[in-house]
């Protein structure tokens, strides 16, 4: 059984690997994005055969950065991809900013929650499309704003009928990656923004994936190797 690690331990592992020159934040992010795409194609082989459509929701930090990598890699595989961005490009951390800018040269970055219509996220989307949650990862520190989680749920519910699959990058947004509790605001805060079919985390499961609400909201948990050495 692979050991779980805390988000803090993960950050220490990443910082040590970067400071020792073993890798860079940029490479870790690229490998994280590639690990998410590999896990998607392994879980749904039919999506590998026929490129599909994906809505990637990117947040204001490095979890969002992973999402921009996923968007680019899926586009390179022939997928039709739109990014919904909850954040300010000027305030993104460097690696995430670099991947935001790389994506913005290839495809749309639409503000999320949508200003007036969901149309940019729904146009031409068919059953089996993917909703990829790269809003928040281990950096979630407080309840998700109600307007954001309501918009995510609105998008997801709006398309459950269309048999969309939901993929969480690192952590389903709203789940505390250490405790496995939902960082919920006061009612009617819907809690976790997305309950995933698949969660792809990096290097090792986090404590929050495996306890309290974690198992229920993560769906299938896949651990991707991002080059930090042997898993814990
Ligand atoms: N080298 C690396 O660190 C790698 C990280 N990976 C991925 O990065 C995330 C962790 O990234 P981080 O930027 O630390 O945090 P998040 O992206 O999870 O959170 C984004 C920022 O959001 C802010 N925040 C927190 N809670 C909320 C909230 N409820 N509403 C709005 N905004 C919120 C917070 O900033 P504040 O200053 O506002 O607190 C966060 O900074 C990790 O999960 C991985 O996906 C790579 O995979 C590997 C390399
Ligand atoms: K996420």
């Amino acid at each position: 059984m692979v050991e779980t690690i805390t988000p803090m331990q993960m950050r220490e592992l990443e910082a040590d690997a970067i400071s020792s020159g073993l890798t860079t934040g940029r490479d870790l992010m690229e490998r994280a994005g590639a690990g998410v795409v590999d896990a998607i194609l392994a879980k749904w082989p039919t999506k590998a055969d026929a490129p599909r459509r994906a809505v990637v929701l990117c947040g204001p930090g490095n979890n969002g950065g992973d999402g921009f990598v996923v968007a680019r890699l899926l586009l390179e595989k022939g997928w039709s991809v739109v990014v919904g961005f909850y954040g300010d490009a000027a305030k993104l951390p460097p690696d995430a900013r670099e991947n935001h800018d790389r994506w913005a040269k290839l495809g749309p970055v639409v503000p999320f929650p949508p200003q007036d219509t969901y149309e940019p996220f729904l146009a031409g989307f068919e059953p089996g499309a993917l909703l990829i949650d790269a809003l928040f990862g281990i950096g979630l520190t407080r309840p998700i704003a109600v307007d954001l989680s309501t918009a995510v749920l609105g998008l997801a519910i709006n398309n459950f009928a269309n048999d969309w699959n939901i993929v969480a990058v690192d952590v389903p947004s709203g789940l505390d990656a250490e405790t496995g509790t939902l960082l919920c605001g006061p009612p009617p805060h819907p809690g976790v923004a997305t309950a995933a079919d698949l969660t792809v985390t990096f290097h090792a499961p986090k404590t929050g994936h495996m306890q309290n609400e974690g198992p229920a909201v993560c769906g299938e948990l896949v651990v991707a190797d991002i080059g930090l050495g042997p898993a814990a």
Side-chain angles (χ1 to χ4, degrees), residues 106-178:
L106 300 170
V109 178
V110 181
F112 195 84
Q115 310 307 323
D116 47 19
T117 167
Y118 279 108
E119 199 44 41
F121 304 107
L122 308 180
F125 277 67
E126 82 278 320
L130 282 187
L131 178 59
I132 299 173
D133 162 18
L135 288 166
F136 302 108
I138 61 173
L140 186 73
T141 54
R142 53 195 184 279
I144 294 178
V146 175
D147 66 325
L148 174 59
S149 52
T150 305
V152 175
L153 287 180
L155 188 57
I157 292 166
N158 205 331
N159 287 283
F160 276 136
N162 288 357
D163 183 30
W164 283 30
N165 296 115
I166 297 183
V167 178
V169 175
D170 204 12
V171 196
S173 296
L175 183 73
D176 180 313
E178 179 168 0

Side-chain angles (χ1 to χ4, degrees), residues 53-225:
R53 286 170 170 75
V55 173
V56 186
L57 299 180
C58 292
N62 283 321
N63 193 247
D66 292 353
F68 286 114
V69 175
V70 172
R72 170 168 42 86
L73 297 178
L74 288 176
L75 185 74
E76 286 170 0
K77 290 182 182 292
W79 286 51
S80 154
V81 184
V82 59
V83 167
F85 182 35
Y86 177 78
D88 175 353
K91 294 183 184 154
L92 282 166
D95 298 333
R97 176 65 193 264
E98 179 186 343
N99 281 296
H100 164 279
D101 294 351
R102 282 184 73 178
W103 166 256
K105 294 190 183 89
L106 300 170
V109 178
V110 181
F112 195 84
Q115 310 307 323
D116 47 19
T117 167
Y118 279 108
E119 199 44 41
F121 304 107
L122 308 180
F125 277 67
E126 82 278 320
L130 282 187
L131 178 59
I132 299 173
D133 162 18
L135 288 166
F136 302 108
I138 61 173
L140 186 73
T141 54
R142 53 195 184 279
I144 294 178
V146 175
D147 66 325
L148 174 59
S149 52
T150 305
V152 175
L153 287 180
L155 188 57
I157 292 166
N158 205 331
N159 287 283
F160 276 136
N162 288 357
D163 183 30
W164 283 30
N165 296 115
I166 297 183
V167 178
V169 175
D170 204 12
V171 196
S173 296
L175 183 73
D176 180 313
E178 179 168 0
T179 64
T181 56
L182 294 182
L183 277 171
C184 304
H189 194 292
V192 66
T194 52
D197 299 294
L198 169 69
T199 295
V200 188
T201 191
F202 312 116
H203 184 67
K206 307 305 175 295
T207 44
H209 288 125
M210 311 302 281
Q211 59 192 29
N212 293 316
E213 311 298 323
V217 297
C218 284
E220 179 186 353
L221 181 67
V222 169
V223 180
D225 175 5

